[in-house]
Structure formats: C-alpha cells, structure tokens
Amino acid sequence: MANFAGAPGVDEHNYYQTLGVERAASAEDIKKAYRKLVRKYHPDVSKEAHADRKTKQLNEAYAVLGEAEKRAAYDALLAERRPWPAFDSGPDWAHAFEAGGHGGDFFSELFAHVGRRGRAASRMRGEDIHLAIAIDLHDAYHGATRAITLRAPGPGGSRERTIDVRVPKGITAGQQLRLAGQGHPGSGGGPPGDLYLEIEFAPQRRYRVEGRDVFETVQVAPWEAALGADIEVPTPAGAVTVNVPPGSQGGRKLRLKGRGIPARAAGDLYLLLELVLPPANSAKARELYQTMARELAFDPRRNMGA
C-alpha cells in the first residue's frame, strides 16, 4: 500500500514509501507500482481526496526511482541524510531540504550526486511516462483535443507543462496514445522519453461500452412495443430512426450494424428496449387501465409455475 506526504509516520521524501515498494525492488516492480497507482489517483478518473497532489507525488517519485542513475544517487542520499526535513508541495517546496548542516534543496543535492557519480557516463534516454486519460464516448465517435498538465522535478525545482493531445476518432478503451519526446528528460544530453496515455471511458449515463460495441437503453411505451412503431433515438453519432417490431418485449435487443465505435472495423450499436408504463394519475388513465384489466385475458405471472 503506497503512502503519501502528510500521512502520520511517513517520511515525506521516501519515494519507496510513496510507490509502496521495498528498497530492494526491481526496476520492473517500481514501474508496475507506479503505473498502477498513477491510474488509481489520476485526477481525471479518481474520486479520492487530494488525487491531484498524490499524482504529482507519484510522478516525482518515479522521476527519481525510475532512472538507474538518479536512483543510485538517491539511495546514497538516503544513507547520508536522516531524518528528512518537513515536506511542503507548495510553490517553494523545492527549497525545503536542509539536513545534516548543509543548505540547498533536495533536488539540487540529488542532481549533484548524479553529477559526481556519472560525469563520465554515456548519454541516457529519459524514462517513459505512463498515464491513464478518461475521455467521453462522444470523443471516440468524433475525435477531440484534450489539454493535459504534467509536472516533473528538475534541478531548479518542479515544473509544470501543458500539452495538447489529439484523441483520434475510433479509439477504444485500453488503447494507448504515444507522444514521442514528451516523457522525462534524458541525462548526459540523451533524448527524452515518451508519454503513453492509456484510454479509458468516463462513466456514461445512457451507454455501456464493450470493446467496439456500444449498448444503449431505449425507453418505449407499451403500445409502441405491442403494435410496433418507428421511433427516433439519440445515439453518439446522432439521432436515428429505428423500427420497433410488433410484439416486442422489454429487454429485446435491436442491433444497428456498424454504428458502434467507428474503429477500422466498426462495432455495432445495440438498443435494449425498456417498457415504461404511463402513470395512472388521471380519471381517463385509470379508466383505460380498468378496461384493459377487464377485457384482456392477460396474466403476467402465468409462466412462473407453482
């Protein structure tokens, strides 16, 4: 279980605690822990309190532990400087590190160690960043542009940058968008890593998505279901006219081929019929219900058995 700055008993600069891993964790275990937690706490999808702050802390932790050279320097600092000072993620947090009688901020110390340990090191590519991004179903049908803000630590403190992301028409949940060069910066003059955005769909009130197929509940009146009717139905691609066959029951599924998510192989749209009874809130409505009760030999429970 990961811990975050501000929790009782948590060392605010212990990035291993932030990611919920042991000091001896492998690089792959650190990456898995980071990806799992950043999806959980990403502000676009998380309902957790302080999700934005937690996401920033996760990114800061992985920016250090996710790169071998920085992790080695960080481990050296862990061994040399205990306890860490109070941590404040406000605008001046990068200047809060003073321990063992030496001034200077945490990242200045860290990058100084990186420099001392690796001045002769070869160029290293920056780490990739993996995030989840929630989009509306409408975006998958029509395409969209989303602005996302990333925060990363650096020698002078953390910095934020906003980038525009083009969401292509036909994208489905679980697909990844790759933004080349938008990951963590490289070291020794090496190139930056890439940014990978995993697509999720925000909860939809009327729709359910399974792969490329979309399911929509459509309410119909009893006479439309019994007698058949042409009804207009709103869909993510726009309104369509649909024929409800006579004798339809609640729960019947109508398939609109090729009207699901417009991927390379388009999915289907399924309309699930739901019968809605008019209220008996007037004398005329009650009279009509009484007439049906008398004249229709109908027992809705005839198939329930003994």
Side-chain angles (χ1 to χ4, degrees):
M1 180 91 180
N3 297 297
F4 296 95
V10 173
D11 183 342
E12 291 87 348
H13 264 311
N14 192 322
Y15 290 148
Y16 292 102
Q17 286 186 348
T18 298
L19 295 179
V21 297
E22 299 293 332
R23 285 278 300 275
S26 67
E28 185 63 26
D29 288 340
I30 289 174
K31 180 183 290 187
K32 288 179 181 178
Y34 166 73
R35 293 183 65 179
K36 178 180 178 181
L37 290 169
V38 84
R39 288 192 189 101
K40 176 180 178 181
Y41 289 108
H42 195 277
D44 284 348
V45 298
S46 177
K47 295 182 180 178
E48 299 279 344
H50 311 300
D52 182 64
R53 176 185 172 93
K54 292 176 180 178
T55 298
K56 291 173 181 176
Q57 292 168 359
L58 289 168
N59 287 334
E60 290 164 4
Y62 187 67
V64 173
L65 299 187
E67 185 175 323
E69 191 177 7
K70 292 177 184 176
R71 181 181 178 184
Y74 174 75
D75 286 343
L77 281 180
L78 278 183
E80 293 174 14
R81 300 184 181 276
R82 305 296 291 175
W84 296 109
F87 180 81
D88 176 8
S89 63
D92 298 322
W93 72 269
H95 301 287
F97 175 74
E98 291 198 22
H102 298 283
D105 64 74
F106 170 73
F107 280 106
S108 292
E109 291 287 324
L110 176 61
F111 284 97
H113 273 252
V114 172
R116 287 194 294 271
R117 294 173 63 93
R119 286 189 177 95
S122 60
R123 289 160 39 104
M124 292 184 63
R125 179 181 179 276
E127 288 287 333
D128 296 333
I129 298 175
H130 294 265
L131 294 176
I133 180 174
I135 66 170
D136 294 328
L137 183 59
H138 181 274
D139 298 339
Y141 271 79
H142 304 280
T145 299
R146 292 280 305 275
I148 65 171
T149 300
L150 301 175
R151 186 183 186 193
S158 63
R159 62 185 180 91
E160 288 189 348
R161 56 190 173 99
T162 299
I163 59 177
D164 290 328
V165 178
R166 189 180 70 83
V167 179
K169 175 180 176 179
I171 199 164
T172 57
Q175 283 188 269
Q176 287 191 341
L177 298 177
R178 174 179 173 264
L179 280 70
Q182 295 295 339
H184 292 300
S187 61
D194 298 333
L195 170 62
Y196 290 88
L197 299 176
E198 184 170 331
I199 296 298
E200 298 176 353
F201 285 122
Q204 313 289 318
R205 184 173 59 87
R206 287 206 318 268
Y207 305 107
R208 176 169 56 86
V209 182
E210 293 183 5
R212 300 186 304 270
D213 296 333
V214 178
F215 297 79
E216 178 180 2
T217 299
V218 178
Q219 297 178 327
V220 295
W223 50 87
E224 292 174 329
L227 304 177
D230 289 331
I231 62 173
E232 187 174 273
V233 177
T235 76
V240 296
T241 299
V242 177
N243 177 258
V244 178
S248 294
Q249 297 287 331
R252 182 167 186 170
K253 185 187 300 182
L254 305 180
R255 178 189 179 209
L256 277 62
K257 183 176 175 59
R259 290 186 176 270
I261 294 178
R264 181 173 299 177
D268 299 329
L269 174 64
Y270 293 91
L271 305 180
L272 308 178
L273 301 185
E274 179 183 43
L275 295 185
V276 180
L277 301 178
N281 55 2
S282 68
K284 182 63 174 177
R286 287 192 293 272
E287 180 184 347
L288 290 172
Y289 274 118
Q290 290 165 356
T291 299
M292 286 192 295
R294 286 194 309 270
E295 298 186 9
L296 296 179
F298 177 66
D299 180 4
R301 294 169 295 281
R302 66 183 181 278
N303 295 323
M304 290 182 65

